[in-house]
């Protein structure tokens, strides 16, 4: 498929003709009360039927699932296709929890697998985290979550731990599906089945992640989530990481998601050996870019996407996350954190990778340099098209950014991107 440039938010979500017909038929079915159920009880029953299992080893997931389900029903305005996709995702997450219990019962040694060394990339969206993740995840011994693993972290029926071909095939089909449904999305954020993916998708199995508010309009769920103790979700994340290491070992983990910024203290509690790399870029640039990504992504699941609503929600959310991270870093040991400028990463990626490895206590020799050079040649920017956007597309202005994030910009000496492009590195809010 040819690269497609993306210019601003879509006035209405793209729909292939077959999908438009499917949604029209789906609305007719919904009109007589036959829509796909998002009821927690129905979802749980479906997961039990699918797996033939019944033991969840606890019911702590029920409240998060209930909050998410209710918000989706009342607020998300899902299309019939979006509803079907979301139901499938929720059932798969529940089925995964059932299969985790069975797997650990059969292989209790999984619980003893150590997770001693974890490098966590925790920058705001669009600050170079994907580029950095793919570099660090390609290093010798590194264990990053691959996209096909994020979709199916446990072996399927008939698979052995070292033979994941069924799951890889399913992920390749999912990648083609995303490109069919939203061909412009890859110019904003490439979704590739065999590349590192965000571990927020593993937090989804606890129904406690920022992913739903990035893909749907679920403000009540998002507000509820901010007030919750995330430790159960992070403990389940650690269990899934051990299961993944049992299948494919590595010397150290490389995690990445902006979700961690909001919960740094919980992250460090669950992963005491973690070293956190926080990336920084001019938020006047990143906010518009991320809002564009959210707007295009939400269009897969709903026919009702408001760019201005996305801007309003995520401007507040980004401010909340940044200030939560600033407060947590004041309370946590400073030697657990390394700040990396997006602009330094672009100018000298090898030097920044070496600095990160030194910070994390990892080697950076000839093999690591060779891996970095190979990744630079394969991960070419704009290979799926060019992404253009502006704050005004989302009802925002620079004064909104400055009001929310001035102290963050000053603290981390973040320059204006337009000044960097002109060869200057003046900093300020």
């Amino acid at each position: 498929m040819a690269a497609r440039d993306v210019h601003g938010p879509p006035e209405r979500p793209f729909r292939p003709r077959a999908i438009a017909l499917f949604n029209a038929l789906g609305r007719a079915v919904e009109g007589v009360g036959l829509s796909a159920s998002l009821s927690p009880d129905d979802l749980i029953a479906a997961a039990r039927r699918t797996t033939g299992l019944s033991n969840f080893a606890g019911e702590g997931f029920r409240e998060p699932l209930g909050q998410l389900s209710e918000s989706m029903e009342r607020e998300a305005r899902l299309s019939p296709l979006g509803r079907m996709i979301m139901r499938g995702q929720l059932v798969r997450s529940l089925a995964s929890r059932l299969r985790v219990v069975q797997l650990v019962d059969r292989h209790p040694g999984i619980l003893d697998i150590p997770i001693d060394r974890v490098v966590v990339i925790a920058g705001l969206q669009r600050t170079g985290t994907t580029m950095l993740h793919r570099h660090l995840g390609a290093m010798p011994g590194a264990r990053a979550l691959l996209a096909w693993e994020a979709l199916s972290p446990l072996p399927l029926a008939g698979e052995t731990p070292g033979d994941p071909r069924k799951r890889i095939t399913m992920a390749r089909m999912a990648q083609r599906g995303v490109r069919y449904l939203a061909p412009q999305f890859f110019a904003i954020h490439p979704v590739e089945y065999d590349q590192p993916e965000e571990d927020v998708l593993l937090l989804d199995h606890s129904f406690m992640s920022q992913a739903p508010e990035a893909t749907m309009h679920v403000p009540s769920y998002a507000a509820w989530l901010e007030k919750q103790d995330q430790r159960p979700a992070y403990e389940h994340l650690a269990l899934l990481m051990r299961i993944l290491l049992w299948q494919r070992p590595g010397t150290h983990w490389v995690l990445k998601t902006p979700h961690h910024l909001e919960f740094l203290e919980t992250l460090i509690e669950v992963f005491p050996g973690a070293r956190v790399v926080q990336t920084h870029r001019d938020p006047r640039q990143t906010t518009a870019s991320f809002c564009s990504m959210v707007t295009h992504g939400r269009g897969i699941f709903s026919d009702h996407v408001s760019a201005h609503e996305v801007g309003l929600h995520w401007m507040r959310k980004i401010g909340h996350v940044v200030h939560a991270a600033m407060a947590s870093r004041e309370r946590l040991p400073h030697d657990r954190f390394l700040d990396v400028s997006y602009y330094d990463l672009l100018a000298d990626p090898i030097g920044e990778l070496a600095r990160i490895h030194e910070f994390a206590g990892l080697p950076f020799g000839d093999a690591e340099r060779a891996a970095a050079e190979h990744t630079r040649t394969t991960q070419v920017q704009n290979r799926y098209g060019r992404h253009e956007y502006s704050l005004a597309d989302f009802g925002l202005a620079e004064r909104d950014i400055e009001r929310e994030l001035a102290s963050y910009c000053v603290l981390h000496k973040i320059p204006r991107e337009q000044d960097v492009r002109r060869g200057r590195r003046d900093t300020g809010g």
Side-chain angles (χ1 to χ4, degrees):
M1 187 178 292
R4 294 169 179 259
D5 289 353
V6 180
H7 305 280
E11 294 183 4
R12 58 176 183 163
F14 169 80
R15 290 284 178 268
R17 182 173 299 176
I19 300 304
L21 178 60
F22 177 91
N23 281 337
L25 293 173
R27 289 188 190 93
V29 171
E30 288 177 353
V32 294
L34 296 177
S35 61
S37 173
L38 298 176
S39 157
D41 287 343
D42 290 345
L43 297 170
I44 290 167
R48 284 175 165 155
R49 285 196 306 272
T50 298
T51 61
L53 303 171
S54 60
N55 183 15
F56 284 104
E59 300 287 294
F61 67 89
R62 277 187 176 266
E63 183 184 3
L65 176 61
Q67 292 286 342
L68 177 57
S69 172
E70 182 181 0
S71 185
M72 290 167 67
E73 288 282 21
R74 289 194 297 106
E75 299 165 335
R77 302 181 72 182
L78 296 172
S79 67
L81 177 67
R83 190 178 186 89
M84 184 182 75
I85 293 173
M86 286 300 174
R87 174 182 164 84
Q89 289 182 0
L90 295 173
V91 171
R92 281 192 296 275
S93 292
L94 288 163
S96 171
R97 293 186 71 93
L98 289 166
R99 292 170 58 232
V100 162
V101 176
Q102 180 191 58
L103 183 67
V104 173
D105 282 345
R106 291 177 175 176
H107 303 278
I110 287 172
L111 298 177
D112 298 324
I113 295 174
I115 307 178
D116 299 327
R117 308 176 84 177
V118 184
V119 180
V120 181
I121 304 167
L124 286 175
Q125 300 90 344
R126 320 304 290 170
T127 60
T129 56
T130 296
M131 173 176 59
L132 184 56
H133 194 203
R134 293 189 174 187
H135 270 95
L136 292 177
M139 293 295 174
R143 187 62 172 89
L145 174 72
L146 300 180
W148 64 265
E149 294 176 312
L151 291 176
S152 304
L154 281 75
L156 299 175
E159 277 189 342
T160 60
D163 183 20
R165 281 176 291 181
K166 286 174 65 175
R167 286 181 286 165
I168 292 173
T169 298
M170 290 170 55
R172 292 181 70 175
M173 292 174 61
Q175 176 182 323
R176 288 196 292 268
V178 172
R179 293 202 72 180
Y180 174 69
L181 293 171
Q184 292 185 327
F185 190 77
F186 274 62
I188 305 171
H189 179 70
V191 181
E192 298 164 314
Y193 75 95
D194 59 349
Q195 291 297 318
E197 191 48 86
E198 291 194 11
D199 46 290
V200 73
L201 299 179
L202 297 182
L203 290 169
D204 278 350
H205 291 240
S206 297
F207 313 105
M208 296 183 72
S209 89
Q210 291 175 2
E213 62 190 293
T215 51
M216 298 177 286
H217 178 62
V218 284
S220 62
Y221 168 79
W224 173 85
L225 184 66
E226 289 178 3
K227 301 177 177 66
Q228 303 311 304
D229 177 9
Q230 286 272 325
R231 188 174 183 102
Y234 273 85
E235 288 175 343
H236 192 71
L237 168 64
L239 175 55
L240 290 173
M241 289 165 61
R242 288 185 167 92
I243 289 170
L244 289 163
L245 281 174
W246 173 72
Q247 298 171 73
R248 183 166 63 88
T251 59
H252 61 281
W253 269 101
V254 181
L255 302 181
K256 174 265 211 184
T257 175
H259 179 101
H260 296 317
L261 278 179
E262 191 175 355
F263 305 104
L264 289 172
E265 288 164 272
T266 303
L267 172 76
I268 298 298
E269 287 174 10
V270 175
F271 302 104
R275 295 295 181 268
V276 180
V277 178
Q278 186 173 353
T279 51
H280 305 283
R281 182 184 177 189
D282 183 359
R284 302 166 190 84
Q285 192 77 13
T286 62
T287 302
S289 177
F290 179 65
C291 286
S292 180
M293 185 178 83
V294 169
T295 304
H296 282 84
R298 285 189 182 183
I300 297 175
F301 305 103
S302 176
D303 295 330
H304 307 278
V305 182
S306 166
H308 282 208
E309 181 279 321
V310 168
L312 181 66
H313 176 86
W314 280 100
M315 185 69 264
R316 188 210 63 81
K317 181 72 173 186
I318 289 168
H320 167 78
V321 167
V322 161
H323 291 291
M326 291 167 66
S328 291
R329 287 188 59 172
E330 282 297 310
R331 294 186 289 265
L332 291 166
H334 292 184
D335 63 358
R336 294 298 185 90
F337 297 90
L338 180 71
D339 295 298
V340 172
S341 166
Y342 170 80
Y343 310 106
D344 292 340
L345 190 59
L346 288 184
D348 182 17
I350 302 299
E352 289 301 289
L353 291 169
R355 189 167 72 96
I356 293 167
H357 272 239
E358 180 181 7
F359 158 72
L362 298 170
F364 195 81
D366 292 342
E368 287 75 20
R369 287 181 179 274
E373 291 293 351
H374 176 73
T375 303
R376 288 181 69 183
T377 62
T378 57
Q379 300 298 315
V380 180
Q381 194 174 29
N382 299 324
R383 64 191 181 280
Y384 289 110
R386 192 170 297 277
H387 179 204
E388 297 181 5
Y389 44 82
S390 72
L391 285 169
D393 291 335
F394 307 96
L396 300 174
E398 286 197 4
R399 64 179 177 274
D400 300 309
I401 309 296
E402 291 158 1
R403 182 179 61 250
E404 289 283 351
L405 303 177
S407 60
Y408 162 72
C409 291
V410 170
L411 176 65
H412 293 291
K413 300 180 174 60
I414 302 172
R416 288 178 175 269
E417 188 149 316
Q418 61 186 14
D419 292 338
V420 177
R421 290 173 177 170
R422 293 169 184 157
R424 295 165 27 209
R425 290 296 292 271
D426 300 333
T427 62

